[in-house]
Each structure stands twice: as C-alpha cells, then as structure tokens.
C-alpha cells in the first residue's frame, strides 16, 4: 500500500502529495477547482449528510462520529474498494475542508483504509 496522508484543501499542493483526492461531499468554500489541483473529487466516500450534520465538528461527539462513519464505510464496499485500489497503486492525500486537523472524517477514513 502507498502512503496515505490527510491535508486541508486550503494548504498548497506539494510534490509529495501523490494523488490528491477531495473526500468531502460538498465543494469547499473559497477555493476554485483550478487552485485545488485535484486528481479526483470522491463524494461517495464522504459521511452522509445526516451524519455530517449530527457531528457538527464537535470534538465531544468525535468518538461516536468515528464509530458511525466506520459503519457507513463498512457498508459502502464499492467506494472503499475503489479508494483502496488507488492507495495500493500510489501515494494519496485525502483532502478535506474542515478547520480542525484532529477531529475530521478524513482522519477516520485514512485510519480505516490502513487497518482494513
């Protein structure tokens, strides 16, 4: 498996990013498609709208969010396998728009891909 890292989409693209994959369901505010320098916008792997709204980026809800999102990922086998295949072939950077670098879905997704 290649290297998997997470990064805010607002941070500049770097050569070591590998394949840059936006894993948000909604396009991030204030960034153009050109500036994003994306290889793929993979909406299907993002948490459902209902789960995202319930979480609300509240760190106190993160452990429950992690559990619920992992359940969604387990049920979303086609999208997970597609992303896992990309990660098997090359280094990838999972891009997200959330402000919090420690409590976000991209961290859960990266861990899920590395452990399963």
């Amino acid at each position: 498996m290649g290297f998997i890292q997470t990064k805010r989409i607002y941070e500049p693209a770097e050569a070591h990013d590998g394949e840059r994959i936006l894993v948000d369901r909604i396009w991030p505010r204030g960034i153009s498609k050109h500036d994003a320098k994306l290889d793929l916008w993979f909406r299907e792997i993002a948490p459902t709208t209902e789960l995202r709204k319930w979480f609300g980026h509240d760190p106190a809800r993160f452990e429950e969010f992690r559990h619920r999102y992992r359940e969604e990922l387990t049920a979303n086998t086609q999208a997970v396998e597609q992303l896992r295949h990309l990660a098997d072939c090359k280094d990838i950077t999972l891009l997200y728009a959330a402000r919090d670098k420690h409590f976000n879905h991209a961290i859960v997704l990266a861990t899920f891909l590395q452990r399963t």
Side-chain angles (χ1 to χ4, degrees):
M1 180 172 277
F3 182 75
I4 300 173
Q5 68 176 341
T6 61
K7 186 176 188 178
R8 286 195 78 217
I9 194 162
Y10 302 102
E11 296 175 34
E14 298 174 301
H16 71 273
D17 285 349
E19 193 91 357
R20 292 173 51 87
I21 304 168
L22 178 61
V23 293
D24 283 353
R25 197 168 292 277
I26 300 169
W27 187 262
R29 289 185 207 163
I31 192 157
S32 71
K33 292 188 180 190
H34 176 267
D35 290 342
K37 297 183 176 28
L38 289 184
D39 295 297
L40 176 65
W41 181 11
F42 199 21
R43 297 176 194 94
E44 298 83 7
I45 202 76
T48 60
T49 300
E50 296 78 21
L51 181 56
R52 179 180 51 83
K53 286 181 177 182
W54 172 85
F55 174 44
H57 299 286
D58 179 353
R61 291 184 169 184
F62 187 68
E63 285 307 313
E64 180 63 21
F65 169 78
R66 179 192 324 257
H67 173 73
R68 291 181 186 188
Y69 184 37
R70 288 178 62 86
E71 286 181 345
E72 288 185 357
L73 290 170
T74 299
N76 194 358
T77 55
Q78 185 177 3
V80 169
E81 286 306 314
Q82 185 178 350
L83 191 54
R84 185 172 284 123
H85 176 72
L86 287 171
D88 284 343
C89 299
K90 56 187 87 176
D91 294 342
I92 63 172
T93 298
L94 304 176
L95 301 167
Y96 62 93
R99 288 187 182 111
D100 195 320
K101 293 183 177 186
H102 304 288
F103 299 103
N104 65 69
H105 72 284
I107 300 251
V108 177
L109 177 57
T111 304
F112 184 86
L113 291 171
Q114 291 167 338
R115 290 187 181 165
T116 58

